[in-house]
């Protein structure tokens, strides 16, 4: 179903009494669109390899004024509960993503953690060195 007109009671009648916006024509708009969620993710942003300036088990705050995307690669060898080996991605104090596996000890695994982090939100990747876990890579779109 195509919409061809939208009632626009808030727009004053023109000389011939039109009170509908006709969408059957092509229109070009100029200016700034507001209220559309700008700045959008990726707008004016680029990927940065931040692995050298980030650490596991440390909380960071997105204070960029925009949402950012993170991509974190975690290597882990043991997932036994006794070793606390389940890597987790925590956003605003909530464990949002975690790895669970029934793999036996000695199995080497790699998992990416990918998320959008809203402005002013906190984020951290939790790993346990006793489980032979480590960060492989950490990229941020900011």
């Amino acid at each position: 179903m195509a919409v061809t007109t939208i009632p626009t009671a808030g727009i004053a009648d023109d000389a011939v009494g039109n009170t509908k916006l006709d969408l059957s024509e092509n229109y070009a708009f100029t200016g700034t669109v507001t209220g559309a969620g700008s700045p959008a993710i990726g707008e004016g942003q680029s990927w940065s390899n931040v692995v050298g300036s980030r650490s596991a088990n440390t909380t960071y705050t997105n204070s960029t004024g925009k949402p950012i995307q993170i991509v974190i690669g975690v290597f882990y060898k043991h997932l036994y509960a006794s070793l606390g080996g389940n890597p987790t991605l925590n956003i605003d104090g909530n464990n949002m993503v975690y790895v669970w596996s029934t793999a036996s000890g000695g199995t080497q695994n790699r998992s990416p953690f990918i998320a959008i982090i809203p402005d002013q939100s906190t984020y951290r990747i939790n790993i346990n060195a006793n489980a032979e876990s480590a960060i492989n890579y950490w990229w941020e779109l900011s």
Side-chain angles (χ1 to χ4, degrees):
M1 178 174 123
V3 175
T4 57
T5 59
I6 298 175
T8 53
I11 298 176
D13 289 348
D14 65 14
V16 291
N18 292 326
T19 57
K20 293 186 177 185
L21 176 63
D22 186 351
L23 299 178
S24 62
E25 300 291 328
N26 292 325
Y27 293 94
F29 295 93
T30 60
T32 303
V33 176
T34 60
S38 188
I41 188 77
E43 183 179 320
Q45 296 171 304
S46 60
W47 285 104
S48 298
N49 181 349
V50 296
V51 71
S53 62
R54 296 286 190 260
S55 298
N57 308 316
T58 302
T59 300
Y60 298 95
T61 300
N62 173 17
S63 56
T64 64
K66 299 179 176 187
I68 65 171
Q69 183 170 9
I70 60 171
V71 179
I72 304 168
V74 176
F75 165 84
Y76 51 95
K77 193 168 183 181
H78 301 284
L79 292 177
Y80 299 125
S82 63
L83 296 176
N86 296 72
T88 59
L89 175 61
N90 184 289
I91 301 172
D92 290 331
N94 301 297
N95 286 331
M96 304 297 280
V97 180
Y98 67 94
V99 174
W100 183 260
S101 173
T102 58
S104 61
T107 301
Q108 297 182 9
N109 300 284
R110 287 177 174 78
S111 293
F113 290 80
I114 302 168
I116 302 288
I117 309 298
D119 183 44
Q120 300 306 312
S121 286
T122 60
Y123 58 103
R124 67 184 281 145
I125 190 81
N126 298 309
I127 65 172
N128 187 324
N130 291 333
E132 297 182 48
S133 299
I135 302 293
N136 287 80
Y137 53 87
W138 191 318
W139 289 85
E140 293 187 1
L141 179 65
S142 58

